[in-house]
Amino acid sequence: MVNHQTIGDGALHLSPEDLAELRRNLCEQRDPARRPAAPGRAPVPLSASTRMVLADVRAALQRIDEGRYGICHLCRRPVGRDRLMVVEQARYCARCRHVREPGR
């Protein structure tokens, strides 16, 4: 039997293994500045878009810690497992993403 994380009244379709994998992936993305620069080169400054993605990644890790990960910020329904496996830091379900983030 597969255990799923439950949040509120509904089950989030993430097994503990899924959640652990997502946490590992987010942690790898979280701190690119900690990666060593190429020998003899200074670290490349982070672009504004990279800083925004990093903020989203850190926020996703915080939601995992607080037990709020995988719940849509708009409709409060679970974000689909397939979406989270592609966009680990997703804040919105696929339906609400089109409302909240048009053109993406």
Side-chain angles (χ1 to χ4, degrees), residues 15 18 32-33 36-37 45 55 67 83 103-104:
S15 68
D18 288 339
R83 177 158 165 71
R104 276 191 165 184

Side-chain angles (χ1 to χ4, degrees), residues 6-60:
T6 31
I7 297 177
D9 294 332
L12 178 61
H13 301 291
L14 293 174
S15 68
E17 293 81 14
D18 288 339
L19 198 55
E21 178 183 348
L22 288 163
R23 180 187 287 277
R24 273 192 307 276
N25 292 345
L26 287 163
C27 285
E28 287 175 8
Q29 296 174 49
R30 175 181 52 194
D31 294 313
R34 289 186 182 181
R35 294 184 187 135
R41 291 190 170 183
V44 177
L46 300 177
S47 68
S49 62
T50 300
R51 288 191 305 271
M52 287 174 55
V53 170
L54 289 174
D56 287 345
V57 166
R58 290 179 182 122

Side-chain angles (χ1 to χ4, degrees), residues 47-102:
S47 68
S49 62
T50 300
R51 288 191 305 271
M52 287 174 55
V53 170
L54 289 174
D56 287 345
V57 166
R58 290 179 182 122
L61 287 167
Q62 183 175 354
R63 289 192 304 275
I64 289 173
D65 292 342
E66 295 171 352
R68 299 180 299 113
Y69 180 76
I71 297 299
C72 179
H73 284 212
L74 200 56
C75 70
R76 301 290 184 225
R77 292 184 178 160
V79 176
R81 178 190 181 275
D82 292 343
R83 177 158 165 71
L84 290 171
M85 297 306 277
V86 173
V87 183
E88 293 100 348
Q89 69 272 20
R91 288 184 277 170
Y92 305 104
C93 67
R95 184 178 62 121
C96 291
R97 177 186 158 258
H98 294 291
V99 172
R100 191 73 177 146
E101 302 172 351

